[in-house]
Amino acid sequence: LRGGRWDRRVAETMIDVRKGIGMTSARTRDRLVQRLRDQGIRNEAVLEQIRNVPRHLFMDEALASRAYEDTALPIGLGQTISQPYVVARMTEALLDGFEGETVLEVGTGCGYQTAVLAPLVKKIYTIERIPELLRRAKQRLRQLDIYNVQFKPGDGWEGWAKYGPYDGIIVTAAPDHVPEKLLEQLAPGGRLIIPVGPQGVQDLVKITNCDDHNEQVSLGAVSFVPLVKGSTE
């Protein structure tokens, strides 16, 4: 990250020094990006991030050979790294017409979604209820020279009121209904990207704060782990 901008040369260098040729070759990453294009992702900055972020660093070595498949994979502790298409779709939806600076991420997980989004916004505040996941994510993001992220162990249902309201909120686990605290922490004109519903029937929605009301748009069916209340800290 250089002055809020992602330096592609730096990104490619970071990928090269951690290589494992088959996992990180340009051809492998380009195939993934083309697949996302074919599925309708149009934001070139988001696609460039999917190409450059070394996804294999965010999972166990045993699964690293599958890192550039368009599929969700387990990362331990009952959690998953999201499918690249879903990460791209959520990021694109968040950034569509985005004119703000601050984003709250609920559910840091392994940090992959954070890494994709970080160079595209000024500041991310991210919450994770499992301290070990947060520790690992923080370490990986530092490895990649990403420093515009502030971390907090805690309950995602509560948000992070201290730094709100936020221009954008992105949630990477599914509650059965939209948490009221997150709506309260959304700035006027801000947008919330969140999967909602029980496992098997979740809908990804975009909610925009229009001052006196919220507008909600469905972005399609998804499958996420549940957004669990409380912290394990």
Side-chain angles (χ1 to χ4, degrees), residues 137-149:
K138 191 172 185 178
Q139 182 180 49
R140 288 168 180 137
L141 294 171
R142 294 294 181 260
Q143 271 186 286
L144 298 178
D145 291 332
I146 295 174
Y147 295 106
N148 64 330
V149 180

Side-chain angles (χ1 to χ4, degrees), residues 10-64:
V10 173
E12 290 176 343
T13 299
M14 289 189 296
I15 291 169
D16 289 343
V17 298
R18 294 169 177 84
K19 47 184 155 188
I21 302 286
M23 295 182 292
T24 61
S25 69
R27 181 179 297 177
T28 299
R29 289 177 274 126
D30 286 345
R31 276 201 303 265
L32 174 59
V33 168
Q34 185 57 52
R35 178 166 182 168
L36 301 191
R37 275 205 181 93
D38 292 344
Q39 292 180 85
I41 302 300
R42 293 290 176 261
N43 187 309
E44 287 299 324
V46 172
L47 290 169
E48 191 73 358
Q49 280 302 101
I50 295 292
R51 175 184 284 109
N52 288 337
V53 172
R55 190 172 183 248
H56 66 281
L57 293 186
F58 294 86
M59 59 184 66
D60 292 338
E61 272 188 45
L63 291 172

